Amino acid sequence: MDNIENRLTKLALKGDQRAFAEIVELYKDKIYHLAYRMLSNRHEAEDIVQETFLRVYRNLDRYDQNQKFSTWIYRIATNLCIDRLRKKKPTYSLDAEMNDQEGMDGYSMIPSDNRTPESEALLSETQQIIYQAIDSLPAKYKSVMILRYLQDLSLQEISDVLGMPVTTIKTRVHRGREFLRKKLEPKM
Amino acid sequence: MECNLAVSLMHDYLDDDLSKEQQMELKAHLLSCPACRMQFKELEQTDMLMFSLSHHAPSAPLELTQRIMSALPQEKKQQPWLGWIRRHPAVTAAAIFLIVMFISSVSFWDQDSQLVVKGNDLDQVVIEGDTVIVPEGKSIAGNLTVENGKTKIYGEVNGNLTVIDGSLYQASTAHISGKVKNIDQALDWLWYKITNAFSDVAYR
Ligand SMILES: [Zn+2]
């Protein structure tokens, strides 16, 4: 993976737009997922994706090839999300959540043959509760939990992305996990 | 073992960061302590539920790549292939047709050809159906972008004018202070899709 990304960034730096478009294709869904869960709003997530790639493009000449490309792009995207969260007013975030319920389809996890009305209802309800629980996490836990679980990054990678010691990340994962456990407890 | 320590070890276990020895100690405590056993079960389930979310990640909208690419700063000169395509429209059309036959998954960007008008000073603009008019004597401050429509300029645009997938008519009274750009997204997008499919193969 890294070889491809390094090659693409070099080409893009020389002005090859198609190489940059490939970078976008490789990462846009991941960044979109990250931003969507951070902000619980599709339009804002799209904005973040666009802004992230714009920054990547502008700073290609400063990208250090010894660093993992994924770490670099996740750092840019996570910082943009955290900035956006800080600026958000609580009422707005509530509205966004209310308007965005259609994004919470839960039952795609069950193979279609096994879907019964009960299992669909149960799973989507559980999943809505998880999404709401994630959404209610304070930003510093939220980013860590999303990077850990939804993006499947290791504790070390998260520490690189956020520029914090691994011990701090570990503590946040533990607290975040306890927080979510308590929110999910009635469902288990 | 104290329950506090046990909880801490449970998290380490879920982080995949617990030695075999400590795992045995934790297990011994769990066997003797129902409360911790319960908590461990819940934590494990939370962990699994959270990981399961990564399997149904929503995809970014298809046209987002195109939007990102067209929003990039354009200091580069126009790609030579575009000129070639313009000079050889028939050959290109035939070639593209063939290639499209091969790539059944080509998704067209133009499924919604809705008129889009962007600018800072739209009060001065008259829109009639799919035609966007800057009337004579009117002056637009800043850039104007029209997508999927006919643009007719009789007045002034004090900025860049970008026409995407549409026609542009400039009257003799028209004055555009910035750059005028006419973009045909069909070609750009299709080219992008084609080359992307090829280079995908090349990388494997
Ligand atoms: Zn105990």
Side-chain angles (χ1 to χ4, degrees):
Chain A
M1 279 305 269
D2 266 332
N3 282 335
I4 288 183
E5 287 143 3
N6 281 348
R7 190 162 33 179
L8 289 175
T9 50
K10 275 182 201 150
L11 286 172
L13 199 51
K14 286 183 201 145
D16 185 338
Q17 299 254 321
R18 276 170 276 148
F20 192 77
E22 289 205 42
I23 298 175
V24 174
E25 281 296 307
L26 280 174
Y27 278 94
K28 67 167 182 176
D29 284 344
K30 289 178 184 159
I31 304 300
Y32 180 73
H33 192 201
L34 169 81
Y36 184 48
R37 280 300 151 228
M38 285 291 284
L39 303 164
S40 300
N41 179 291
R42 280 165 198 275
H43 296 294
E44 286 188 281
E46 287 174 30
D47 282 355
I48 296 285
V49 176
Q50 201 160 339
E51 183 61 25
T52 300
F53 284 109
L54 198 59
R55 290 199 184 192
V56 166
Y57 188 80
R58 287 209 196 102
N59 295 297
L60 271 177
D61 52 342
R62 273 183 263 166
Y63 165 59
D64 171 11
Q65 300 265 352
N66 298 319
Q67 189 185 26
K68 267 178 95 174
F69 181 82
S70 58
T71 304
W72 187 51
I73 193 168
Y74 275 127
R75 181 181 307 149
I76 294 172
T78 311
N79 286 338
L80 285 171
C81 288
I82 292 173
D83 277 355
R84 184 76 68 114
L85 274 179
R86 279 200 198 110
K87 285 176 199 150
K88 264 175 130 176
K89 295 196 179 87
T91 49
Y92 178 57
S93 125
L94 194 68
D95 288 348
E97 197 183 311
M98 304 292 276
N99 292 336
D100 240 27
Q101 294 289 336
E102 88 270 29
M104 298 179 166
D105 58 318
Y107 42 84
S108 46
M109 206 161 85
I110 297 184
S112 50
D113 314 355
N114 300 341
R115 277 187 203 166
T116 62
E118 294 86 38
S119 67
E120 285 188 9
L122 191 73
L123 201 58
S124 64
E125 196 194 344
T126 311
Q127 228 148 13
Q128 285 197 23
I129 291 171
I130 311 179
Y131 288 138
Q132 280 161 11
I134 296 173
D135 201 40
S136 62
L137 280 162
K140 62 179 187 177
Y141 296 108
K142 201 189 227 183
S143 48
V144 169
M145 296 306 272
I146 289 174
L147 290 171
R148 175 76 195 100
Y149 286 104
L150 307 196
Q151 307 287 335
D152 206 6
L153 298 194
S154 69
L155 297 179
Q156 181 60 54
E157 281 171 312
I158 301 172
S159 126
D160 293 340
V161 167
L162 298 176
M164 289 172 195
V166 183
T167 48
T168 309
I169 304 300
K170 228 168 162 347
T171 311
R172 289 191 183 176
V173 168
H174 294 190
R175 289 195 189 145
R177 208 186 265 133
E178 282 297 343
F179 179 93
L180 294 173
R181 177 184 73 87
K182 279 171 198 147
K183 292 259 170 173
L184 294 169
E185 198 189 342
K187 284 283 123 200
M188 298 195 279
Chain B
M1 186 187 291
E2 298 223 358
C3 292
N4 276 348
L5 178 61
V7 171
S8 173
L9 293 184
M10 290 176 204
H11 283 286
D12 288 336
Y13 173 79
L14 293 173
D15 291 340
D16 216 0
D17 193 18
L18 196 64
S19 69
K20 270 267 146 9
E21 224 168 75
Q22 285 176 306
Q23 284 185 33
M24 297 311 289
E25 288 171 35
L26 175 62
K27 198 176 170 187
H29 179 81
L30 292 182
L31 285 170
S32 65
C33 176
C36 278
R37 207 154 59 224
M38 185 65 165
Q39 184 163 353
F40 182 66
K41 203 185 114 213
E42 287 175 4
L43 280 171
E44 216 175 14
Q45 278 185 13
T46 305
D47 198 60
M48 269 158 44
L49 277 172
M50 285 296 289
F51 272 124
S52 78
L53 296 183
S54 66
H55 297 306
H56 27 82
S59 295
L62 270 180
E63 82 287 354
L64 193 59
T65 304
Q66 214 269 324
R67 227 193 298 158
I68 290 165
M69 293 309 291
S70 55
L72 297 178
Q74 298 280 334
E75 75 276 11
K76 316 268 164 14
K77 56 205 172 304
Q78 212 178 41
Q79 286 129 317
W81 57 266
L82 247 174
W84 192 90
I85 285 177
R86 297 234 162 92
R87 266 175 276 125
H88 304 87
V91 179
T92 309
I96 286 176
F97 178 73
L98 278 176
I99 291 165
V100 169
M101 302 271 291
F102 279 107
I103 309 166
S104 55
S105 65
V106 168
S107 51
F108 274 96
W109 47 274
D110 68 351
Q111 263 143 10
D112 52 355
S113 44
Q114 223 183 352
L115 175 69
V116 180
V117 185
K118 284 180 212 148
N120 308 323
D121 195 8
L122 295 179
D123 291 349
Q124 309 289 319
V125 176
V126 177
I127 300 175
E128 291 174 2
D130 65 342
T131 308
V132 178
I133 303 166
V134 177
E136 194 170 351
K138 298 283 185 183
S139 155
I140 308 257
N143 300 336
L144 180 66
T145 303
V146 179
E147 202 173 333
N148 299 317
K150 301 186 186 99
T151 310
K152 294 185 176 171
I153 310 287
Y154 298 91
E156 267 185 71
V157 177
N158 291 312
N160 299 331
L161 173 66
T162 310
V163 177
I164 304 167
D165 295 325
S167 63
L168 170 64
Y169 168 74
Q170 292 186 60
S172 57
T173 49
H175 180 257
I176 298 165
S177 67
K179 283 184 200 152
V180 179
K181 244 201 289 183
N182 212 326
I183 298 173
D184 189 353
Q185 287 196 99
L187 290 182
D188 287 358
W189 179 236
L190 202 56
W191 182 258
Y192 160 70
K193 271 294 178 194
I194 292 164
T195 51
N196 205 32
F198 285 155
S199 47
D200 267 351
V201 173
Y203 280 122
R204 273 180 201 131

